[in-house]
């Protein structure tokens, strides 16, 4: 006779078996902890780099190897490859306790196959694709003996001068939280312990993206309200997705270094959010509390950091040797250290490293996984999705496949290296496709490809212009490749001037003056300023840094084999003077009605308030029509929901994807609200001529915000619902009311 489990039991089973698993691991952790000396415990909290220092690979460094053998190390970063990780792990197995090391690495946008930079991927608004991108990176990373990536960076960033905007998901909290969740899921797959899952690390906790004046490592000063409402939610999303680790940050937050902040790490993360993973410091950030003027020496820095909840010391050499003396002097309790060690050992058990410390260091698997064709396919697809079409006057794009001659002009036209972006790790081994090569792959011998560099990226010389103009004159269409080199956006790559560097815009002017059709591709790690180009050149695509398959992706989009659907995840200013500029700013008492309305208004006398390109903006080769907005109710209580629907029609000639964006404005509230906030979106594919009914639901969660007491509440009152194709291009709107 078949037996069926009661439904209640079925629902409870996975949860209770997870609990049982947790309990089992806790027992194992306790059993190991019991056997450890204080020095060995402190060793677990210590992390060294493997190869990015003067001594070369770790395997050449007798001092580090001795420390591993002596049980003074819990983890290493920058050790990678099945062979090298195995060799180093073998040394850890010679230590008294034989506790395996965790190997961590900055796998930010791909391991061997390079994916578009995270900001570019965010422009796809395609959560599934981003999760898959992280999955591919995890598979390659895990097969190379590495257990842990220092990603995703989930810092909200409203200042494009900050070079690290390239590493995050842009300026919006809602979009950023969804992406944070997707990326953590992608890295961790079906869960730690699987051979294709690596630990994610949500960073930089917290508010690092708000460095004053966009200068990296700079102080952050913000209201509690902004912290909770804008900067913390993506971190919470990472916790909800099960992120195994967190990294704290270099910055001070309201006068306290994040690394030494118990408010952030103990009260919020480990307290309120009940986080059971561990926190690693940022590189040297514990020691940097001395330079901050917060700790007088490394011993005090160690004391402040461990008490604040920083579990692992990345490369500041403060915990070792500092903590042992702090314990002897009774300044730090052993229970505090035990808690940190427990968190780290837990992950080592979850990864299965106690069962087999070499389980990830498998050369055969590495060989099979790295650069696998399906990984490159995923990178190509992600690159296509990441491109944002900014302008396409007179449908100059897509290009016809029967063109006789195309000229590729500009300093990035043949560049392979720069396509990688700042955080790529596989430099030597990755096969990168330049724009020129991508076009060649596409047109074969049917079309002649001409080329001229014109200038270097940061040149002040225009000597190459004449040749470039000569080449341009021979072509039917000119595709220009301008922007930044890969080291112009990234860590420590802040720039006060974010105009397209050097004389590149002058080169565009010179080529445009030939009267030939010009398409400009901007390749960069941040929003750049290029007003003349935006106003005069008929077609512009923002391609960011697209990774291994960059050139093929650009060629597919240029020729219409892929219809672009990306939307900007960050506002593009007209001028640095407008920064910080973001779409969801707070209402003011004297709002300007339009860009010319300056008299005693919140406005500039010399420049419009509006951006050059707004958050959420991006074109397609087709067009979409929005109509028929209906709300199931226009008055609800907090327990009710509103069903929102409207019709989206593809009115153009091509099949294409549209990101429909739902914004809300809470018109009157106990805390002044933004003029609009993204609260939902969908990416919809429609064939030419096709229509679809799009549905959204408005519930209490979407209407809630942090009140003055920092409580998450939905207040009764009037709301405006806006459906748009961009934050500044709202197609449909209706009001509704929340009543008590
Ligand atoms: C410093 C960076 O801020 C952090 O994001 C990175 O993970 C570490 N260095 C390790 O490379």
């Amino acid at each position: 006779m078949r037996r069926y489990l009661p439904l209640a039991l079925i629902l409870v089973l996975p949860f209770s078996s997870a609990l049982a698993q947790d309990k089992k691991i806790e027992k194992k952790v306790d059993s190991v902890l019991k056997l450890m000396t204080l020095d060995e415990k402190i060793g677990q909290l210590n992390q060294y780099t493997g190869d990015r220092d003067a001594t070369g690979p770790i395997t050449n460094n007798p001092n580090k190897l001795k420390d591993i053998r002596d049980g003074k190390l819990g983890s290493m970063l920058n050790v990678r490859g099945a062979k090298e990780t195995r060799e180093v792990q073998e040394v850890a197995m010679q230590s008294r306790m034989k506790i395996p090391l965790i190997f961590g690495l900055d796998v930010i946008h791909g391991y061997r196959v390079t994916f578009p930079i995270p900001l570019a991927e965010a422009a796809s608004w395609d959560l599934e694709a981003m999760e898959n991108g992280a999955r591919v990176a995890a598979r390659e990373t895990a097969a190379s003996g590495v257990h842990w990536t220092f990603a995703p960076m989930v810092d909200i960033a409203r200042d494009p001068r900050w070079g690290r905007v390239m590493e995050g998901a842009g300026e919006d909290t809602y979009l950023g939280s969804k992406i944070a969740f997707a990326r953590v899921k992608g890295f961790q797959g079906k869960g730690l312990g699987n051979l294709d899952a690596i630990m994610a690390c949500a960073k930089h906790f917290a508010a690092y993206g708000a460095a004053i004046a966009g200068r990296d490592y700079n102080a952050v000063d913000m209201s509690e309200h902004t912290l909770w409402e804008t900067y913390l939610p993506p971190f919470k999303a990472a916790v909800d997705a099960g992120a195994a680790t967190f990294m704290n940050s270099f910055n001070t937050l309201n006068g306290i270094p994040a690394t030494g902040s118990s408010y952030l790490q103990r009260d919020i993360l480990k307290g309120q959010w009940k986080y059971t993973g561990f926190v690693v410091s940022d590189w040297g950030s514990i020691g940097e509390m001395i330079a901050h003027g917060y700790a007088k020496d490394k011993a005090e820095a160690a004391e402040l950091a461990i008490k604040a909840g920083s579990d692992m010391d990345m490369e500041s050499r403060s915990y070792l040797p500092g903590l042992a003396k702090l314990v002897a002097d009774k300044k730090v309790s052993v229970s505090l250290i035990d808690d940190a060690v427990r968190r780290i050992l837990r992950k080592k058990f979850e990864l299965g490293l106690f069962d087999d410390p070499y389980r990830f260091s498998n050369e055969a698997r590495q060989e099979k996984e790295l650069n696998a064709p399906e990984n490159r396919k995923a990178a190509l697809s992600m690159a296509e999705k990441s491109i944002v079409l900014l302008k396409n006057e007179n449908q100059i794009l897509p290009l016809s496949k029967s063109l006789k001659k195309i000229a590729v002009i500009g300093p990035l036209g043949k560049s392979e290296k720069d396509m990688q972006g700042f955080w790529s790790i596989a430099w030597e081994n990755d096969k990168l496709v330049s724009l020129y090569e991508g076009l060649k792959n596409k047109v074969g011998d049917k079309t002649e490809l001409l080329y001229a560099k014109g200038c270097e990226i940061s040149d002040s010389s225009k000597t190459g212009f004449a040749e470039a103009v000569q080449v341009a004159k021979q072509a039917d269409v000119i595709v220009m490749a301008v922007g930044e080199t890969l080291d112009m956006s990234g860590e420590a790559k802040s720039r006060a001037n974010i105009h397209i560097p050097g004389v590149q815009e002058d080169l565009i002017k010179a080529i445009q003056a030939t009267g030939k059709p010009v398409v400009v591709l901007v390749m960069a790690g941040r929003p750049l300023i290029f007003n003349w180009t935006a106003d005069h050149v008929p077609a512009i695509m923002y391609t960011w840094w697209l990774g291994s398959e960059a050139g093929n992706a650009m060629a597919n989009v240029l020729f219409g084999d892929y219809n672009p659907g990306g939307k900007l995840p960050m506002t593009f200013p007209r001028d640095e003077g407008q920064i910080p500029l973001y779409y969801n700013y707070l209402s003011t008492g004297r709002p300007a009605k339009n860009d010319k309305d300056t008299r005693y208004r919140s406005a500039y006398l010399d420049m419009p308030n509006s951006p050059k390109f707004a958050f959420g903006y991006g074109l397609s080769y087709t067009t979409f029509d929005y109509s028929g907005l209906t709300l199931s109710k226009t008055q609800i209580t907090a327990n009710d929901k509103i069903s929102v629907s409207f019709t989206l029609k593809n009115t153009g000639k091509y099949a294409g994807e549209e990101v429909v964006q739902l914004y809300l404005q809470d018109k009157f509230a106990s805390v002044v609200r933004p003029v609009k906030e993204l609260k939902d979106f969908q990416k919809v594919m429609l064939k030419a001529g096709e229509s679809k009914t799009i549905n959204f639901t408005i519930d209490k969660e979407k209407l809630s915000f942090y009140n003055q007491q920092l409580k998450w509440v939905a207040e009764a009152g009037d709301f405006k619902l806006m459906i748009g194709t961009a934050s500044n291009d709202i197609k449909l709107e209706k009001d509704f009311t929340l009543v008590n």
Side-chain angles (χ1 to χ4, degrees):
M1 198 178 91
R2 279 173 80 147
R3 287 268 182 93
Y4 293 97
L5 287 172
L7 182 64
L9 201 58
I10 295 174
L11 292 175
V12 152
L13 261 181
F15 184 61
S16 60
S17 74
L19 272 185
Q21 178 65 9
D22 283 356
K23 275 202 180 138
K24 247 195 200 161
I25 286 187
E26 291 315 303
K27 267 198 180 151
K28 289 182 184 173
V29 167
D30 284 339
S31 69
V32 173
L33 198 66
K34 251 192 351 228
L35 303 174
M36 295 170 77
T37 64
L38 177 64
D39 284 346
E40 283 164 340
K41 289 178 183 174
I42 294 168
Q44 285 304 302
L45 313 185
N46 191 27
Q47 186 191 49
Y48 288 165
T49 184
D51 64 2
R52 270 220 228 135
D53 60 6
T55 52
I58 167 71
T59 36
N60 292 345
N61 187 319
N63 296 335
K64 286 183 185 173
L65 295 181
K66 180 172 181 321
D67 280 357
I68 297 173
R69 217 170 274 122
D70 291 347
K72 290 182 174 170
L73 225 59
S75 169
M76 299 210 75
L77 72 154
N78 300 329
V79 177
R80 64 170 184 270
K83 184 166 171 286
E84 191 178 332
T85 51
R86 177 178 286 271
E87 281 170 11
V88 178
Q89 199 69 289
E90 276 167 0
V91 181
M93 290 305 108
Q94 294 162 25
S95 66
R96 190 187 76 91
M97 284 296 295
K98 301 190 181 1
I99 298 177
L101 292 168
I102 302 179
F103 298 112
L105 188 68
D106 288 291
V107 181
I108 310 294
H109 46 111
Y111 180 82
R112 175 58 50 83
V113 174
T114 307
F115 274 68
I117 57 168
L119 185 63
E121 289 193 358
S124 74
W125 296 53
D126 190 326
L127 300 172
E128 213 176 294
M130 283 181 259
E131 180 172 337
N132 185 49
R135 206 70 294 286
V136 171
R139 282 204 305 266
E140 291 197 346
T141 306
S144 307
V146 175
H147 317 119
W148 182 17
T149 175
F150 304 122
M153 184 186 102
V154 304
D155 296 309
I156 293 301
R158 292 169 157 181
D159 190 333
R161 291 172 300 180
W162 190 50
R164 296 198 81 167
V165 299
M166 54 83 49
E167 204 180 329
E171 74 186 35
D172 184 63
T173 303
Y174 180 82
L175 179 62
S177 300
K178 293 278 176 200
I179 293 175
F181 192 93
R183 288 193 166 136
V184 169
K185 285 280 179 210
F187 287 129
Q188 299 190 170
K190 295 215 169 80
L192 301 188
N194 288 293
L195 278 174
D196 63 356
I198 56 173
M199 297 199 293
C201 181
K203 70 188 188 184
H204 307 83
F205 198 59
Y208 183 45
I212 291 173
R215 222 174 60 223
D216 212 359
Y217 316 121
N218 205 5
V220 171
D221 202 85
M222 69 168 59
S223 70
E224 277 290 298
H225 197 262
T226 302
L227 175 68
W228 279 91
E229 195 153 289
T230 305
Y231 288 84
L232 290 183
F235 288 100
K236 179 61 168 54
V239 172
D240 293 343
T245 70
F246 260 54
M247 184 185 290
N248 58 35
S249 53
F250 288 124
N251 56 284
T252 54
L253 174 62
N254 301 334
I256 314 292
T259 303
S261 170
S262 357
Y263 173 57
L264 287 173
Q265 298 167 105
R266 290 229 180 266
D267 299 352
I268 299 175
L269 181 62
K270 294 177 178 175
Q272 225 168 303
W273 294 350
K274 300 189 172 48
Y275 184 63
T276 56
F278 71 86
V279 180
V280 63
S281 79
D282 202 344
W283 182 296
S285 70
I286 298 180
E288 285 176 21
M289 291 199 288
I290 303 167
H292 277 301
Y294 191 67
K296 69 175 185 311
D297 53 24
K298 279 197 174 179
E300 192 179 12
E303 179 182 350
L304 289 164
I306 192 80
K307 286 185 172 163
S310 292
D311 300 307
M312 186 179 277
D313 176 0
M314 181 193 283
E315 268 296 336
S316 95
R317 323 281 167 119
S318 303
Y319 283 0
L320 194 96
L323 281 180
K325 181 155 183 332
L326 288 164
V327 172
D329 293 347
K330 305 227 166 345
K331 286 187 174 161
V332 167
S333 70
V334 175
S335 64
L336 212 55
I337 290 172
D338 281 353
D339 174 62
V341 177
R342 208 175 249 123
R343 287 169 182 272
I344 293 162
L345 292 181
R346 198 178 285 147
K347 295 303 161 203
K348 294 187 176 183
F349 275 111
E350 287 175 19
L351 285 163
L353 294 177
F354 277 100
D355 297 331
D356 175 4
Y358 309 109
R359 61 195 299 260
F360 291 89
S361 307
N362 179 321
E363 286 185 70
R365 198 165 52 239
Q366 173 178 273
E367 179 67 29
K368 190 169 142 259
E369 192 55 63
L370 296 194
N371 236 334
E374 64 268 27
N375 299 357
R376 286 197 79 94
K377 231 169 105 190
L380 172 62
S381 163
M382 194 69 241
E384 291 167 342
K385 287 170 190 277
S386 303
I387 293 172
V388 184
L389 179 65
L390 294 179
K391 200 173 169 190
N392 190 20
E393 256 170 27
N394 308 322
Q395 275 83 53
I396 181 172
L397 291 173
L399 299 177
S400 150
K401 284 181 182 155
S402 52
L403 291 168
K404 294 257 162 359
K405 283 184 187 174
I406 298 177
V408 175
I409 292 181
L412 288 164
K414 281 194 173 176
S415 169
E416 292 176 3
K417 191 169 139 222
D418 296 298
M419 299 304 104
Q420 298 175 110
F422 182 78
W423 279 109
S424 47
I425 16 175
W427 302 61
E428 335 76 54
N429 303 310
D430 194 0
K431 169 83 194 83
L432 293 140
V433 182
S434 69
L435 170 66
Y436 185 88
E437 199 185 342
L439 288 172
K440 192 93 212 142
N441 293 341
K442 170 85 28 190
V443 299
D445 297 331
K446 286 187 298 200
T447 306
E448 195 182 338
L449 270 191
L450 311 171
Y451 168 76
K453 196 170 200 181
C455 62
E456 299 294 339
I457 299 273
S458 302
D459 254 0
S460 52
S461 155
K462 299 184 183 175
T463 48
F465 282 25
E467 186 213 345
V469 167
Q470 274 322 308
V471 169
K473 281 183 177 160
Q474 299 165 42
D476 305 318
V477 168
I478 295 118
V479 178
M480 296 196 68
V482 297
E484 294 184 313
T485 51
L486 86 169
D487 54 359
M488 285 179 153
S489 288
E491 185 181 346
K493 303 288 179 267
S494 294
R495 287 173 56 208
N497 175 353
I498 59 162
H499 280 67
I500 284 196
V503 291
Q504 293 182 88
E505 197 154 35
D506 292 332
L507 178 65
I508 298 171
K509 286 179 193 170
I511 301 300
Q512 171 85 357
T514 61
K516 298 276 182 173
V518 178
V519 181
V520 168
L521 309 191
V522 186
M523 307 171 182
R526 54 152 66 85
L528 290 175
I529 296 170
F530 43 93
N531 294 324
W532 188 91
T533 304
D535 293 340
H536 296 90
V537 172
I540 305 170
M541 276 174 19
Y542 217 75
T543 69
W544 320 95
W545 291 322
L546 290 176
S548 303
E549 290 286 337
N552 289 332
M554 290 186 258
N556 284 348
V557 172
L558 282 169
F559 286 96
D561 291 330
Y562 184 88
N563 185 356
K567 303 270 188 179
L568 298 177
M570 258 190 107
T571 301
F572 277 47
R574 295 168 189 273
D575 190 89
E576 292 85 357
Q578 294 177 304
I579 299 171
L581 184 65
Y582 45 93
Y583 84 95
N584 50 350
Y585 57 89
L586 295 183
S587 304
T588 77
R590 293 190 176 194
K593 283 195 205 71
N594 53 52
D595 277 344
K596 297 212 169 80
D597 182 20
T598 58
R599 232 178 100 80
Y600 294 99
R601 298 279 121 191
S602 177
Y604 300 107
L605 291 178
D606 57 347
M607 178 163 309
N609 279 358
S610 64
K612 196 71 194 168
F613 298 106
F615 172 82
Y617 172 79
L619 302 172
S620 161
Y621 294 151
T622 192
T623 46
F624 296 97
D625 180 67
Y626 289 67
S627 66
L629 175 64
T630 58
L631 272 56
S632 60
K633 293 172 192 161
T634 50
Q635 200 176 56
I636 53 163
T637 65
N639 298 326
D640 275 346
K641 289 182 176 151
I642 301 177
S643 304
V644 176
S645 61
F646 62 94
T647 305
L648 182 74
K649 181 168 188 200
N650 181 341
T651 49
K653 288 191 300 214
Y654 302 89
E657 281 178 301
E658 168 73 323
V659 178
V660 296
Q661 301 159 40
L662 184 152
Y663 296 90
L664 286 176
Q665 184 193 18
D666 187 342
K667 291 191 179 178
F668 306 97
S670 60
V671 174
V672 170
R673 307 299 308 142
V675 292
K676 59 174 75 96
E677 293 173 275
L678 183 75
K679 288 289 177 180
D680 213 338
F681 64 88
Q682 283 177 40
K683 192 160 182 163
V684 186
M685 169 57 103
L686 290 180
K687 292 191 218 104
E690 192 187 358
S691 297
K692 214 181 215 170
T693 304
I694 310 296
N695 299 302
F696 286 108
T697 304
I698 304 287
D699 58 9
K700 185 180 164 198
E701 182 63 20
K702 285 198 168 63
L703 306 179
S704 298
F705 65 95
Y706 285 102
N707 69 9
Q708 279 186 63
Q709 289 70 40
L710 296 175
K711 286 224 171 73
W712 185 244
V713 296
E715 288 179 356
D718 296 337
F719 291 82
K720 180 149 87 174
L721 168 92
M722 293 159 271
I723 304 282
T725 180
S727 63
N728 67 344
D729 193 357
I730 299 301
K731 302 291 190 191
L732 304 167
E733 59 179 68
K734 268 207 167 118
D735 289 353
F736 65 90
T737 309
L738 176 68
V739 293
N740 280 324

